[in-house]
């Protein structure tokens, strides 16, 4: 009798354990499938390259727009989209191939018609795409349009006419010495985008990606071998299941050797110099995150995404007098912050933290991990002095230059005789 009871109890317990195992197995499959479904839906919403291509090619084939990339994109199809890098549906970004040359393809989708500090700062396309300039607009009138746009974006710089002429040279995609109406429409749409404008302004600078071509407001820029400051990229399905803390540890592990990191860091410091009081005014870096920076196989820094680098004059004009309840309402991107004047409940126009301080904040952990012991203390001291920089400080420009040069000198002295540099 006891033996039968034990046998029955064992079988019941085994059935219970098996049912419990099956339940949790199915639950795990259900939850996993749901997560993958949600992420796939998000992916298809984010990555809309086919829609972007259709819009651009419809406009090209009807003669509305023109540019050096149009024929390859829409006729011969030798420009095609590869891996999707988009982070927002209205800003499409892909790795691509153009006539066997790698590049990064960027395209603007439908746009908001108002300024939204949670998304973008740039003026957006009208409901009727590519409606300016209109037929009959002379080259002189188009130059005046571009000049007025630059004056609004960049302020009253003395050399804006030179920049206008440079833009006309870029707009002449087929290099026939004339800017057609289609090319002018493409150029006007592209000039609304801060990244395109910055690429033209800094076209001869080492750390700015080169413009390869455009069609409408789609443009192709130089490809970068490593598209993040950290040297590891995982499929999005795997990213889902990696905790953020463990991901940060992985990022630190999968980085180049310290001398190579130092060379990349010097490149970022040089880029900060490029945009700080450049030939057409100061630009503000409003998202200094690792995903916006890359580097090539020689460990030279290359910017991957410059859409959140905006003209200081433009930002100040748009943010001033904005209604606010606290300082949190006076932020553009992640890093351009002004303060909320509680007496008027309006945002002030002065950005609190300069570009260099933001760059040093990003580089702190990147450079200190694995830093040679003989310079670690001095490096840490200089980085913290850099992070403490404020725009409102007395003699900020002098401090800015001194700290930047000291950091570059410290890093170069350590790596100048190494093979890795």
């Amino acid at each position: 009798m006891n033996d039968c009871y034990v046998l029955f109890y064992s079988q019941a317990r085994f059935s219970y354990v098996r049912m419990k195992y099956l339940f949790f197995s199915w639950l795990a499959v259900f939850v996993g499938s749901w997560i993958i479904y949600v992420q796939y839906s998000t992916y298809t919403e984010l990555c809309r390259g086919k829609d972007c291509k259709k819009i651009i090619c419809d406009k090209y084939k009807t003669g509305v727009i023109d540019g050096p990339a149009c024929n390859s994109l829409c006729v011969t199809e030798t420009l095609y989209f590869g891996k999707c890098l988009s982070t927002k549906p209205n800003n499409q970004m892909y790795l691509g191939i153009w006539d066997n040359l790698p590049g990064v393809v960027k395209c603007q989708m439908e746009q908001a018609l108002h300024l939204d500090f949670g998304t973008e700062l740039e003026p957006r396309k009208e409901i009727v795409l590519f409606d300016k300039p209109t037929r009959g607009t002379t080259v002189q009138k188009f130059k005046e349009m571009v000049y007025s746009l630059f004056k609004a974006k960049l302020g009253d710089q003395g050399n804006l006419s030179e920049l206008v002429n440079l833009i006309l040279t870029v707009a002449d995609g087929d290099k026939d010495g004339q800017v057609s109406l289609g090319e002018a429409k493409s150029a006007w749409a592209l000039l609304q985008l801060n990244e395109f404008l910055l690429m033209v302004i800094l076209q001869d600078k080492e750390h700015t990606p080169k413009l390869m071509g455009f069609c409408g407001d789609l443009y192709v820029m130089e490809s970068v071998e490593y598209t993040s400051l950290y040297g590891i990229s995982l499929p999005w399905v795997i990213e889902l299941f990696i905790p953020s803390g463990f991901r940060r540890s992985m990022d630190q592990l999968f980085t180049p050797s310290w001398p190579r990191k130092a060379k990349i860091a010097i490149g970022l410091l040089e880029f900060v110099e490029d945009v700080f009081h450049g030939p057409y005014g100061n630009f503000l870096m409003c998202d200094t995150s690792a995903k916006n920076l890359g580097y090539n196989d020689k460990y030279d820094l290359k910017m991957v995404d410059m859409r959140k680098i905006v003209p200081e004059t433009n930002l100040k004009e748009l943010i001033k007098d904005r209604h606010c309840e606290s300082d949190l309402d006076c932020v553009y991107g992640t890093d351009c912050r002004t303060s909320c004047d509680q007496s008027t409940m309006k945002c002030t126009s002065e950005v609190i933290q300069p570009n260099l301080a933001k760059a040093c904040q990003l580089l702190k952990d990147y450079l200190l991990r694995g830093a040679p012991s003989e310079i670690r203390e001095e490096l840490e001291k200089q980085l913290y002095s850099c992070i403490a920089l404020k725009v409102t400080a007395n003699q900020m420009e002098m401090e800015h230059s001194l700290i930047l040069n000291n950091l570059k000198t410290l890093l170069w002295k350590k790596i100048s005789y190494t093979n890795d540099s």
Side-chain angles (χ1 to χ4, degrees):
M1 183 72 176
N2 288 335
D3 290 342
C4 291
Y5 176 78
V6 169
L7 180 62
F8 174 77
Y9 176 79
S10 299
Q11 290 176 339
R13 181 172 177 79
F14 177 74
S15 298
Y16 170 76
V17 170
R18 186 170 61 177
M19 288 297 294
K20 185 177 178 181
Y21 172 78
L22 287 173
F23 172 77
F24 283 109
S25 297
W26 278 108
L27 182 63
V29 170
F30 175 77
V31 171
S33 300
W34 175 252
I35 291 173
I36 292 173
Y37 169 76
V38 169
Q39 290 297 320
Y40 178 75
S41 299
T42 304
Y43 177 87
T44 55
E45 181 183 343
L46 283 176
C47 301
R48 302 169 60 192
K50 290 183 178 179
D51 295 338
C52 182
K53 179 179 177 180
K54 183 178 187 306
I55 292 170
I56 293 294
C57 290
D58 284 349
K59 294 294 180 181
Y60 170 63
K61 290 175 180 177
T62 54
V64 175
I65 58 174
D66 201 356
C70 291
N71 189 65
S72 298
L73 178 70
C74 305
V75 180
T76 63
E77 297 191 349
T78 53
L79 168 58
Y80 60 90
F81 298 179
K83 180 182 177 182
C84 176
L85 304 176
S86 306
T87 57
K88 290 184 178 178
N90 62 338
N91 288 315
Q92 293 296 293
M93 180 174 172
Y94 283 80
L95 294 179
I97 300 291
W98 186 7
D99 291 336
N100 298 319
L101 292 175
V104 176
V105 184
K106 295 188 178 182
C107 178
Q108 316 308 305
M109 295 296 290
E110 61 273 328
Q111 311 287 4
L113 296 178
H114 61 279
L115 176 65
D116 183 354
F117 276 75
T119 54
E120 297 293 332
L121 183 66
E122 297 162 342
R124 291 332 212 160
K125 286 187 293 191
E126 295 83 353
I127 295 297
V128 180
L129 296 176
F130 310 112
D131 66 340
K132 294 180 182 178
T134 56
R135 187 172 298 278
T137 301
T138 63
V139 172
Q140 183 59 36
K141 178 61 178 176
F142 181 59
K143 290 174 71 172
E144 291 172 5
M145 289 171 58
V146 174
Y147 185 92
S148 297
L149 176 66
F150 287 165
K151 191 171 181 179
K153 274 180 171 280
L154 304 173
D156 198 5
Q157 305 288 330
N159 50 355
L160 288 183
S161 296
E162 296 176 15
L163 183 56
V164 171
N165 291 330
L166 179 59
I167 290 298
L168 261 65
T169 302
V170 173
D172 181 16
D174 56 9
K175 305 305 176 189
D176 63 353
Q178 297 179 331
V179 178
S180 67
L181 180 61
E183 289 172 333
K185 285 179 180 288
S186 293
W188 182 256
L190 287 166
L191 288 175
Q192 313 308 311
L193 309 174
N194 291 317
E195 181 173 58
F196 180 84
L197 177 57
L198 196 58
M199 271 197 296
V200 174
I201 290 174
L202 301 179
Q203 62 179 339
D204 297 325
K205 299 297 184 180
E206 178 184 1
H207 307 295
T208 305
K210 306 303 181 214
L211 177 68
M212 296 172 65
F214 60 87
C215 182
D217 62 356
L218 175 148
Y219 56 100
V220 188
M221 53 196 282
E222 174 187 10
S223 180
V224 180
E225 285 84 346
Y226 301 95
T227 55
S228 176
L229 197 59
Y230 298 98
I232 184 170
S233 177
L234 298 173
W236 62 270
V237 175
I238 297 176
E239 291 273 14
L240 292 176
F241 301 100
I242 299 179
S244 58
F246 182 65
R247 176 61 174 164
R248 284 193 294 271
S249 299
M250 285 179 61
D251 284 343
Q252 290 293 347
L253 285 173
F254 290 92
T255 55
S257 63
W258 191 86
R260 289 171 172 169
K261 288 196 293 184
K263 187 179 181 184
I264 294 167
I266 290 169
L268 178 56
L269 296 175
E270 290 174 344
F271 181 78
V272 169
E273 285 184 290
D274 291 341
V275 297
F276 182 69
H277 292 323
Y280 302 102
N282 189 22
F283 282 74
L284 299 175
M285 300 170 66
C286 294
D287 186 1
T288 47
S289 57
K291 64 179 171 42
N292 293 333
L293 313 175
Y295 55 93
N296 60 22
D297 56 0
K298 295 180 180 178
Y299 300 93
D300 297 315
L301 177 104
K302 291 286 184 180
M303 299 303 295
V304 173
D305 193 339
M306 301 189 296
R307 285 175 292 192
K308 289 291 178 70
I309 302 178
V310 300
E312 182 178 28
T313 300
N314 196 22
L315 178 64
K316 283 184 173 182
E317 190 63 31
L318 290 167
I319 202 172
K320 74 174 185 178
D321 299 330
R322 174 181 166 83
H323 177 75
C324 60
E325 300 291 336
S326 70
D327 290 351
L328 295 176
D329 297 320
C330 302
V331 181
Y332 171 64
T334 56
D335 296 321
C336 285
R337 303 170 182 273
T338 72
S339 56
C340 180
D341 186 341
Q342 293 296 320
S343 63
T344 61
M345 306 304 287
K346 301 287 186 182
C347 293
T348 59
S349 62
E350 202 66 51
V351 174
I352 296 169
Q353 198 176 33
N355 292 335
L356 182 58
K358 303 166 196 172
C360 288
Q361 181 68 55
L362 175 64
L363 292 174
K364 179 171 68 70
D365 293 337
Y366 189 70
L367 282 177
L368 290 178
R369 183 182 177 87
S373 56
E374 61 269 24
I375 69 162
R376 181 183 172 85
E377 184 177 345
E378 178 62 22
L379 177 60
E380 187 172 17
K381 177 183 173 182
Q382 290 196 25
L383 285 169
Y384 277 106
S385 296
C386 176
I387 292 168
L389 272 175
K390 300 291 183 185
V391 169
T392 53
N394 292 331
Q395 299 180 322
M396 191 279 290
E397 290 192 24
M398 186 181 297
E399 283 188 66
H400 182 286
S401 298
L402 185 63
I403 289 173
L404 191 148
N405 288 329
N406 286 345
L407 261 173
K408 285 173 61 180
T409 301
L410 179 66
L411 295 172
W412 268 126
K413 277 186 177 179
K414 192 60 191 173
I415 69 170
S416 56
Y417 300 107
T418 65
N419 292 329
D420 284 339
S421 68

